[in-house]
Amino acid sequence: MSESKKLWGGRFEGSTARSVERFTASVQYDSRLYKYDILGSKTHATMLADGGLLTKEELELILAGLTEIEAEIDAGTFEFKSELEDIHMNIEKSLVDRIGPAGAKLHSARSRNDQVALDTRMYLRDQCDILADLLEQIRRAFVVLARTYLGKIMPGYTHLQRAQPVLISHHMLAYYEMFGRDRQRLLDCRKRLNLSPLGCAALAGSGLPINREQVAEALGFDGVTANSIDSTGDRDFAIEFLSCCTIIQLHLSRLSEELVLWASQEFSFVNISDQFCTGSSIMPQKKNPDIPELIRGKSGRVTGSLMSMITLVKGLPLTYNRDLQEDKEPLFDTVDTVTASLAIMTELLANLEFQTERMEDATRTGYMTATDLADYLVLKNVPFREAHGIVGRAVAHCIERDCELVDLTLDDLKQFASVIEEDVFDVLRVEGSVNSRLSTGGTGLKRVEEALVQAEKIMGITQ
Ligand code: ARG
């Protein structure tokens, strides 16, 4: 049995079992929130003093005590106690031990329920900013790659089968778009979570003369939450944050999968720099793309965290339940995982080399301009479905003769459709195919160049 007196111990006769203390403690991971907790407490105390609930002297003592505690935690000399459960109690108890009765006044008009909601919102708000910044950096890496390889052609795939030739830059800018949406989603999530729950107290609000708006403003919130019952039980801001992170990690995993494929001997489309690969302990020739593999693998834990959080909230009655303490580890793990994945992937991209000849060669086989031939026929007034059939037969003919469409003579082609003329060879060549795709958002060089210039402008890159 623990001998230490609990801050909430008034109504208890017996002391808490050690096993219970161990089981209920969260300080081993929620200590990560200490800076937010201390800042929240200082702001709360200032508001209490302004409202006459603390004297000036008491406020000074509290502020100085909290500053001291923060410095100790910074320095690693603060002693965290699991019997004090969480970061909030550890800090408060230490304050009371240092400054006595003034410290015991800090918790007026506040509960750990609104306190933990406050800390978590402040923490996630910062993480949204950090991740948004990392997303800008990875987008920039794609823009740089798009500029470097402008004009170079690669096979575009559907069903992982060669489909139509595209520009490498177009493919790079696809990721620029994806991570751009991810960033918008995070900033949108930030907007919704940037409201202060402090002063909602346990669940019903406070009967003391407090000023929630003052606290919210001082802490940089856009305002206060509207309903104390909602605010103490709500974790949908955390679910939303994890959803945003999951989508980021899924995008990273798709990119990773492409890099793993492209780095294989079968593709040989990219060279991932030595610094970003590892070897095999048994096979001396191996150079493995472990970074994209790990990022791809880590999408499992990020998705898992989202599942944990969703399951945690499902069926939970209003308002606060201790279950909600389980929100932290999935959040922290996700933040660590997505942050690290984005950062290292950005570095890898900055050192990535495309094997452009090999990529272009890959577009020369696989009848990749078949759709262009069909479009050519459409322009000669052949209905598309009919054109599709004609080209299908021409492809079958090529398969039989083991050649490509562009290898057929005009006479060969005319056998399939008499409207075909000499100009057909412009569209049968991959360059012609790519450059004809001038629809908005298409892979034609002119369109991609416009998109690239626009992206560079947004990223503040000057050529
Ligand atoms: N450690 C708790 C959590 O993270 C803080 C709130 C505890 N509130 C309570 N009434 N036990 O959820």
Side-chain angles (χ1 to χ4, degrees), residues 30-70:
D30 67 16
S31 56
R32 195 189 275 232
L33 297 173
Y34 77 97
K35 280 201 182 283
Y36 303 104
D37 200 70
I38 288 172
L39 182 59
S41 289
K42 284 182 168 178
T43 313
H44 179 68
T46 306
M47 180 274 292
L48 291 178
D50 287 349
L53 292 166
L54 291 175
T55 64
K56 231 174 158 317
E57 295 69 40
E58 287 168 333
L59 174 65
E60 306 275 275
L61 280 172
I62 290 174
L63 296 180
L66 289 170
T67 301
E68 208 177 281
I69 292 170
E70 184 170 17

Side-chain angles (χ1 to χ4, degrees), residues 76-87:
T77 55
F78 186 87
E79 199 199 334
F80 290 107
K81 298 190 177 118
S82 65
E83 64 268 28
L84 290 171
E85 291 184 25
D86 54 26
I87 185 63

Side-chain angles (χ1 to χ4, degrees), residues 163-177:
Q164 288 176 343
V166 296
L167 292 181
I168 295 177
S169 307
H170 199 46
H171 201 108
M172 294 301 101
L173 290 177
Y175 282 107
Y176 165 82
E177 292 293 331

Side-chain angles (χ1 to χ4, degrees), residues 26 30 86 88 112-113 116 320 322 324-325 328:
S26 57
D30 67 16
D86 54 26
H88 324 292
R112 274 185 298 157
N113 299 351
V116 72
Y320 181 85
R322 192 63 178 267
L324 291 177
Q325 179 167 292
K328 310 237 171 15

